[in-house]
Structures are given as structure tokens and as C-alpha cells.
Amino acid sequence: MGTSGVPLLIFLAFASTSYPAAAYSRGDFPPEFVFGSGTSAYQVEGAAAEDGRTPSIWDTVAHSGESMDNGDVACDQYHKYKEDVQLMVDTGLDAYRFSISWPRLIPNGRGIVNPKGLQYYNNLINELISHGIEPHVTLFHYDLPQVLEDEYGGWLSRKIIDDFTAYAEVCFREFGDRVSHWTTLNEANAFALGGYDNGAFPPKHCSAPFGRNCTIGNSSTEPYIVAHNCLLAHASVVRLYKTKYQAVQHGFVGLNLFTYYFIPLTNTTEDIMATQRSNDFYLGWFLDPLVFGDYPRIIKKNAGSRLPSFTQHESHQIQSSYDFIGLNHYATMHVKDDPESLNSKQRDVIADVAAKTIFGETPPSEFPTDHPGMQGVLEYLKQKYENLPIYIHENGQMTPYNQSVNDTSRVKYLEGYIGSLLDALRNGSNTKGYFTWSFLDLYELYGGYKSSYGLYFVDRTDPDLKRYPKLSAHWYSTFLKGGNMGTYRIRKAKGEASRNSKVTPRKSQI
């Protein structure tokens, strides 16, 4: 996934409430509802030093850690995009969500456009369009050009607003005649927390005691600064698109956020209030400015002077600067109140939430499949944020990387979560589409190649990085092609998957 499924808020625990999956088919969804799958540039493209691409902050972090994993080769989609698009066709996808690599398209961060990068994305988009697959494009997925990080600190500086807007304009100008769905930033909230609070993500900023193994950063202030600049940059890009391109290209622009479905650990007033604080700090941090024009009251109270403020003009520009909101959702969490954290002399975003860790052991290697919280998340957004248009941009099961294509837990997960999504739609949710994460087993932000989310297994021992469909690919394909998922049998899918196993691959994958 974009953030690989490990909780960014470590004070939560996975829920385990039973949820019965009901029979359904694609015909139960609105005809215009979009189903797809996704990846991101650094996680799938490879060719990290080819054809003029320069390093991003993700390259830098990947090559500076203890792990030998990196995205230098990844799935080599840069060279194998035609093969992958054919797999998408075979699977039955309506759409493919991918990101553009800023340092591949504009190697110096600003200025001259790389013709090889431009050619690659034109080729990929044209290949998708020619096969009837709709491209959904993300502009930023954790891969800021390292040159901008070195020059002025990247997202910590307001200089990023002009550079990001100029980069977005290149994309709108060059690709907007064929791309109608744009996302400015992937998981803007997770980027601020993971990159600048606990230091787990690029550019790996943090300070003790909130993060470890960082050489730079301030967990108490930087996440708020980065989030503020993300909102301003997003609003600038949306304003550009709406004033210059939308009338001609007829597309849509949104922002993507990561979310859990938060549930109080108990029905006490304290835990209920802590759950609302978690929602406010995790979603309201970005959605309140976008929908209402300012940060939630509890964030302003708890963060105090550490939280930048919007001018009246900025507030006006940010409010309603979206056509949709993208959500990355994987799991349900329980929340317990922790008032002592607010008494800490050192405060970061997580402390400001004032909720307590109740993990007693290592987080699970797979997400529970017995409580799809999709309906709960969408119901909360419907009630709190005026039923704004939503795309589920990421949803999928984390499993340890192995050569088995019989990913039964992923099938159960997808069946439950898509069913929960259908329940939300029947209850009035304004959700427009759903994308699994991920299409291929790829380089994960957290865990590298040790974990996988893919519908397709990528054989990393094969020099050609052959792709093989898993059980989940067969399940999703059956669903997309109109099968009734209440009568679909895992045993049948296992038979299909075994015929496509690593040992006896077929040329026709689906």
C-alpha cells in the first residue's frame, strides 16, 4: 500500500467484531461506478537511474537504511508497461491508478522537462486509453525530487507551492487531454506523520521520543508545517486547473488521505471523545480546512502556537478546493483515552490526540478480515462532511511475501470490504469508485519486499520478473465480469490459481 498498512498511530489496536459477508455482484453497484487497481511510480517503475531520472527523497531513504531493499528495479513497469496493461485488460479493470514521478518528468524539480520521461507517461497513458482503461493519476506519492529537498527543505518551505504548481501544470498541459482524474497528493496526512513525526517515511524527519533513528527533524512542529504547506500547494494546483484547464479538459481534481475506522475501546465518555479526537486529528486536520475553511477546534486548542494559521484569503482558497476526496483505508482500530499524554512537556501530533497505545504484542502480519470498517468510515464522512464525493483509492490485504498464489485471506478481505462498501452506497454514500492496492507485488513503503498486497505475484528470482495471477486476481476478475460473489467458491478459484502457479504458468493469465 501507499503506507504499507502498519499503523501510523501506534496507540490503537485492531478491532475484531464479526461481520457476515452477503452475496452480491457488480450489477448491484451503480453502472457508472469505477473499479480498478493501483500502484505508484517508485514502487513499481524501476529504471531509477535511466533516461534522465534523478533521485527522489524516497531513493535517498531507501539507500540509506539497513535494508537492502529499494525501488531501483521494483517491478520494472517502465519497460514492461504493455504487458501490465494487458493483464489489466484480462482482469477486467475499468481504471488504473498510478503516480507520475516528478524527478523523472522534471529532473531538476523545476524548469526543463525530460523528453524521455514525457514519452514514457504518454506511452503508458495511450496504452491504457487504447485498451479502454481509464487513467487516474496522482501527482505526488512520497517522491519529491531530492534536489528540492536539498535546496530549501522541500515541504517544510512555502517555496514548494510554486514548484509543485509548476510541475502540476506540465502534467495538465501534456496529459490532461486524456487524463480526467487527478489527485494532487497521496496520503497527505500520512506523509506529514510518517515523514516528519515518527520518521518512518521519506524524508525521515523526527525527534525523540516520538521517532527513532532520525538525524534531523522536530516532531512537535514539522508535521503541522508540512500539512499546512500541503494544503496550500494543493489549493494552488486546484485553482490552476479550475481557471485554466477544467473548462476544456472536463476533468476532476482531488486530495488523498489515509484513514482507519476508529471505534471507542469502551462506551465511556472518555473513549468516545478520544475517538472523535482521533478522527479530527487524522481526517479533520485536512478535511475541515477543505470543507469548512479552517482546522478543527481541538487541533487549534491542543497544538496552540505550533499550528500555522490561515489568512482569510488562504482559507477562502482552500475551502471547497476539491472535486473529490480519495481515501486509502485498510483496517479498523480501537481507541482508548490517554489524558496523561497532554501533560508531556514535549508534544507531537500523536500526543496531541491524547489516545493511548493498547498494543500488547507485535501488530499482525495480516489485517483481520472479520470487520470491514468501510461502511463506518464512509458513514462518518457522509454525516460530518456533507457527503462529499469519494474514491476509495487503496484497499487491500497485507500478507508476507511468498511464492504462493493461493492468497485466501486476500480473497476474504476483498469480499468483506467490497460488501461493506456496497452497504455504504445503499445507505446513501457518495462514493464513485474503488481501487484495490495493489495490482502487482511491489516495493512497499514499509517493509520493502517483505510484505505484499498484489493481485499478481512478481517472481523476483526471475530475471524477467514474471507476473502470475493469485487467487485474488481470479476472484476480482470474476467479480468485475459479473459473477455473483455469494456463489463463487474459493475451491474453484484455487483450481484456477494452481494452474497459473509459479511452477506451471499459463500465457493467458485470466
Side-chain angles (χ1 to χ4, degrees):
M1 78 188 252
T3 55
S4 299
V6 174
L8 287 172
L9 300 183
I10 59 170
F11 47 78
L12 304 169
F14 287 98
S16 57
T17 306
S18 177
Y19 183 94
Y24 60 84
S25 71
R26 182 171 182 172
D28 293 313
F29 289 80
E32 67 278 7
F33 196 89
V34 174
F35 282 98
S37 190
T39 64
S40 85
Y42 188 67
Q43 296 178 271
V44 76
E45 284 179 4
E50 289 187 40
D51 293 339
R53 182 189 180 275
T54 59
S56 72
I57 58 174
W58 202 340
D59 292 83
T60 302
V61 168
H63 282 272
S64 65
E66 296 177 0
S67 172
M68 297 297 291
D69 289 349
N70 57 64
D72 288 0
V73 176
C75 301
D76 197 27
Q77 191 169 88
Y78 187 76
H79 298 108
K80 298 171 73 69
Y81 69 91
K82 288 187 177 182
E83 174 185 334
D84 288 342
V85 171
Q86 186 58 54
L87 288 181
M88 296 172 204
V89 174
D90 295 344
T91 309
L93 301 188
D94 299 327
Y96 176 49
R97 178 178 177 252
F98 64 96
S99 72
I100 290 174
S101 168
W102 187 347
R104 189 183 298 283
L105 189 63
I106 308 176
N108 292 323
R110 67 171 76 89
I112 298 174
V113 175
N114 176 16
K116 290 289 188 178
L118 185 64
Q119 180 183 15
Y120 170 70
Y121 291 111
N122 271 320
N123 289 344
L124 173 60
I125 291 167
N126 290 341
E127 190 74 10
L128 291 166
I129 296 291
S130 69
H131 287 85
I133 297 176
E134 190 175 74
H136 284 235
V137 176
T138 300
L139 295 173
F140 178 75
H141 197 120
Y142 296 99
D143 53 354
L144 178 75
Q146 183 64 43
V147 64
L148 299 184
E149 183 76 15
D150 294 339
E151 181 181 335
Y152 55 72
W155 289 97
L156 282 167
S157 169
R158 287 202 176 206
K159 292 180 180 179
I160 194 68
I161 298 170
D162 289 341
D163 286 340
F164 186 59
T165 305
Y167 157 59
E169 177 149 33
V170 171
C171 295
F172 296 152
R173 183 181 70 235
E174 299 293 342
F175 313 126
D177 59 329
R178 289 151 292 155
V179 175
S180 59
H181 291 82
W182 297 96
T183 302
T184 53
L185 299 103
N186 179 73
E187 298 179 340
N189 54 348
F191 176 63
L193 286 168
Y196 298 86
D197 190 345
N198 60 36
F201 304 158
K204 202 170 176 61
H205 282 218
C206 66
S207 60
F210 308 107
R212 297 179 298 172
N213 301 322
C214 297
T215 59
I216 189 173
N218 185 329
S219 298
S220 296
T221 59
E222 288 190 355
Y224 292 115
I225 294 169
V226 168
H228 199 75
N229 290 337
C230 283
L231 282 165
L232 293 172
H234 161 80
S236 175
V237 168
V238 173
R239 185 166 64 255
L240 166 70
Y241 188 78
K242 289 184 177 295
T243 57
K244 191 171 180 180
Y245 294 97
Q246 195 168 46
V248 176
Q249 297 178 355
H250 308 292
F252 308 92
V253 187
L255 178 77
N256 176 280
L257 299 171
F258 185 89
T259 183
Y260 296 107
Y261 177 40
F262 294 119
I263 297 178
L265 181 64
T266 71
N267 64 357
T268 61
T269 300
E270 291 78 9
D271 285 358
I272 292 171
M273 292 177 66
T275 300
Q276 184 58 54
R277 286 196 300 275
S278 296
N279 277 314
D280 285 339
F281 270 85
Y282 220 55
L283 286 174
W285 191 8
F286 285 81
L287 286 182
D288 272 42
L290 289 169
V291 177
F292 307 123
D294 201 1
Y295 293 116
R297 185 179 306 154
I298 190 65
I299 295 183
K300 295 169 77 171
K301 175 185 175 183
N302 287 13
S305 61
R306 292 174 294 134
L307 181 70
S309 59
F310 299 115
T311 66
Q312 186 174 358
H313 178 65
E314 289 169 344
S315 176
H316 177 74
Q317 290 182 327
I318 290 171
Q319 188 173 9
S320 300
S321 63
Y322 62 90
D323 295 311
F324 65 87
I325 295 297
L327 290 182
N328 295 354
H329 172 66
Y330 290 85
T332 295
M333 297 289 194
H334 279 137
V335 181
K336 180 173 177 55
D337 183 50
D338 182 23
E340 290 302 315
S341 65
L342 286 177
N343 298 326
S344 172
K345 291 182 180 179
Q346 283 187 298
R347 302 259 292 280
D348 73 340
V349 177
I350 292 177
D352 288 333
V353 180
K356 182 181 182 180
T357 177
I358 49 177
F359 270 135
E361 54 191 51
T362 304
S365 60
E366 297 185 3
F367 297 127
T369 59
D370 54 358
H371 193 298
M374 186 77 76
Q375 183 181 9
V377 168
L378 294 175
E379 185 65 25
Y380 175 79
L381 292 171
K382 184 182 76 173
Q383 295 181 13
K384 178 74 184 284
Y385 295 106
E386 304 173 351
N387 205 16
L388 71 174
I390 297 289
Y391 281 90
I392 303 301
H393 274 161
E394 292 184 20
N395 177 246
Q397 174 65 289
M398 168 180 62
T399 58
Y401 178 85
N402 57 57
Q403 295 183 346
S404 172
V405 294
N406 291 321
D407 55 344
T408 305
S409 67
R410 185 166 290 109
V411 171
K412 292 179 179 178
Y413 180 99
L414 294 176
E415 183 179 45
Y417 273 84
I418 293 175
S420 184
L421 168 61
L422 179 59
D423 289 340
L425 288 171
R426 287 171 168 167
N427 204 36
S429 172
N430 192 18
T431 304
K432 305 293 186 181
Y434 170 91
F435 294 76
T436 68
W437 184 268
S438 53
F439 187 65
L440 305 173
D441 283 345
L442 39 71
Y443 175 69
E444 282 296 340
L445 179 59
Y446 196 101
Y449 299 107
K450 297 178 182 67
S451 60
S452 69
Y453 291 77
L455 300 174
Y456 286 82
F457 170 75
V458 177
D459 186 356
R460 302 197 60 78
T461 67
D462 185 332
D464 196 41
L465 295 171
K466 283 187 177 295
R467 285 85 154 112
Y468 300 101
K470 301 180 186 178
L471 185 101
S472 55
H474 291 287
W475 184 93
Y476 197 43
S477 181
T478 299
F479 166 71
L480 294 178
K481 294 172 183 177
N484 188 311
M485 305 326 290
T487 60
Y488 185 76
R489 292 289 177 262
I490 288 179
R491 182 181 299 174
K492 176 184 176 183
K494 281 186 175 180
E496 294 170 345
S498 65
R499 290 194 298 272
N500 292 276
S501 69
K502 182 187 173 189
V503 179
T504 57
R506 281 192 321 191
K507 289 183 179 179
S508 176
Q509 302 278 347
I510 290 289

